[in-house]
Amino acid sequence: MPIYSEKVMEHFMNPRNVGEIENPDGVGEVGNPVCGDMMTFYIRVDNNHLSDVKFKTFGCGAAIAVSSIVSEMAMGKTLEEARRITPALVAEELEGLPKNKYHCSNLGAQALNKAIDDYLKKQGKEVKSKRRRKDEKE
Amino acid sequence: MKKAYLDNAATTPLLPEVLEAMLPYLREAYGNPQSLHEWGDEAREGIEEARSQVAALIGARPEEIIFTGSGSEANNFAIKSLAQAQQSKGKHVVISAIEHFSVLHSAKTLEKWGFEVTTVPVDGYGLADPEAVAGSLREDTILVSVMHANGEVGTIEPIASIAKVAKGTGALFHTDAVASAGTIPVDVAELGVDALSLAANQFYGPKGVGALWLKKGTRIIPFLDGGVQEGGRRAGTEDVPGIVGMGKAAELAQQDMTSRIEQFSALRDRLIEGLSSKIEHTILTGHPTQRLPGNASFCIEFIEGEAMLMLLSSKGVAASSGSACTSRALKASHVLTAMGIPPELAQGSLLFTLGLNNSDEDVDYVLDVLPPIVDRLRQMSPLYAKFIKEQGGGR
């Protein structure tokens, strides 16, 4: 029995939005190679909407699938909508993740949020740091 | 699609001759070896022949072989039961840092039972230093256990030298030969050890059977209490077909060892040379020459092992990895860690283990499909992007 759902496999085999954005409006990097996974999200913001989302990921199959689905879920959303992409929603969208891979879905949501924080900071706006701090503890 | 199984360290397939030898004991020869009738006699004969075959493989006497349910059981048995039998003499045990979990975790259990355990380090090749073992010995050291060969990186340990040092102080010496017995020559007298573990599924025998060799006269506490099976040291009705299979596999391994070593080494070298020349930023893990014949283990920089395994699997290739992501505990392989390999590099661990089922074609197929897989994952990797930027431009 395969450990991953068909949806995870599909996103792992054909990941969407891989790459970097030149002069991005926001960048969010989470994880580190020592703990296993590392994700970097790049966003372009137009009129409070995510007009482009790209990522680079060092990690396992789940980490790559999570990055791909998060980029897809976030694309075109308003910043507020994108903030509401939770790890649980990511896992649900992927038709489930093995228990020991749940942290990968946290990383995806965190990386996107960090990219949004980065954008807001560059704009001189206040960052809703409450959520971020909570995420970083995980 | 082509399929290539290069994961023989996980388990080897069962040889047809071995299966043939086992079948009568799954069918008509179903007796209990302890029974006093024709059916019992037949089963007992099967077991005793297997005992002789396994003993011959390692240069031992048949009565010194105790069949177990696996290599892990043999290791548990050796570590826990030898320590318990010796505890009036002392409570200190020495193991190496790259032992299999069945030794490492047994040693942890000993600690809970009030024993003290010293773990000796290994060098960058995974070699344990006889001097370091000597330095760890104390007056109350009762047991030293260092593996004969490491299945993950292929390094073969200088057991004869290490055992000599340990024996000098009167401690018992156990070696886990699960990765080596049936693959390379193992002779208990030459190694100078008191106990040795082996497993059938590492040399084309069935899963679920192993053996502990225990030098005649060595005291041990029974591992399973019950009947008189295996000299009363491992109770429970014997797995007759499994044991017979292990015996047949041992006989074939002994008979074909030279040609197998030649065949596996040639495949291994073809893979190591091909991979090292085709994929940049790759390191061979383990010792370059003191190495198991079928073992080709690497760390591929900037990418992670599980992702490689999944893409290889999509091409029909079976391999394995010691990356943190592939382990249930999400920890990098303790073997690679003990060898001083940094965590981010250990994440790129990739292990191919070659065997009887492999040909040059399989190796060439891997050399064909792996480079694009590595490329694809590197293009996705922020670590690789950073590396390229630091290098000042692309390739």
Side-chain angles (χ1 to χ4, degrees), chain A residues 4 13 36 57 60-61 101, chain B residues 302 304 306 325 347 376 380:
Chain A
Y4 290 127
M13 295 303 290
T57 291
C60 63
K101 298 287 184 182
Chain B
F302 315 118
E304 189 279 326
E306 190 209 71
C325 298
Q347 273 292 67
R376 176 176 167 172
M380 247 186 253

Side-chain angles (χ1 to χ4, degrees), chain B residues 27-233:
Chain B
R27 290 180 176 142
E28 60 276 9
Y30 52 77
N32 184 325
Q34 303 305 325
S35 299
L36 300 177
H37 45 57
E38 196 185 317
W39 288 263
D41 294 347
E42 196 177 20
R44 195 158 52 246
E45 270 164 38
I47 287 190
E48 292 319 313
E49 191 190 350
R51 204 182 299 284
S52 300
Q53 288 163 322
V54 171
L57 177 68
I58 58 171
R61 303 180 204 192
E63 65 270 26
E64 296 172 321
I65 300 291
I66 307 169
F67 286 112
T68 64
S70 61
S72 284
E73 187 190 312
N75 282 336
N76 270 262
F77 194 173
I79 302 298
K80 294 176 186 166
S81 301
L82 283 174
Q84 281 179 299
Q86 300 292 318
Q87 61 182 328
S88 60
K89 294 185 193 160
K91 287 193 135 190
H92 181 236
V93 172
V94 175
I95 60 170
S96 90
I98 59 163
E99 294 303 309
H100 188 258
F101 282 136
S102 54
V103 169
L104 283 182
H105 294 169
S106 291
K108 278 201 180 128
T109 298
L110 286 184
E111 283 182 322
K112 284 183 201 147
W113 290 349
F115 288 81
E116 263 184 88
V117 177
T118 301
T119 306
V120 286
V122 295
D123 69 11
Y125 293 129
L127 281 175
D129 178 8
E131 298 284 311
V133 175
S136 71
L137 296 172
R138 314 192 314 211
E139 229 168 64
D140 59 341
T141 308
I142 48 165
L143 177 64
V144 179
S145 181
V146 178
M147 69 193 339
H148 186 214
N150 184 284
E152 210 179 307
V153 294
T155 301
I156 301 169
E157 302 293 335
I159 291 303
S161 316
I162 300 173
K164 206 170 175 184
V165 172
K167 298 289 294 169
T169 66
L172 290 176
F173 196 95
H174 165 257
T175 191
D176 168 6
V178 167
S180 59
T183 299
I184 56 171
V186 170
D187 184 290
V188 291
E190 270 175 36
L191 293 176
V193 298
D194 302 294
L196 178 145
S197 306
L198 59 164
N201 75 324
Q202 294 290 311
F203 51 91
Y204 306 92
K207 294 161 194 69
V209 207
L212 176 66
W213 167 79
L214 191 63
K215 192 178 185 174
K216 201 171 182 177
T218 310
R219 247 175 57 72
I220 197 161
I221 302 289
F223 192 64
L224 275 179
D225 292 317
V228 297
Q229 293 90 351
E230 301 304 292
R233 291 168 297 189

Side-chain angles (χ1 to χ4, degrees), chain A residues 21-26 43-44:
Chain A
I21 295 174
E22 253 182 73
N23 308 314
D25 294 326
I43 55 169
R44 168 93 57 228

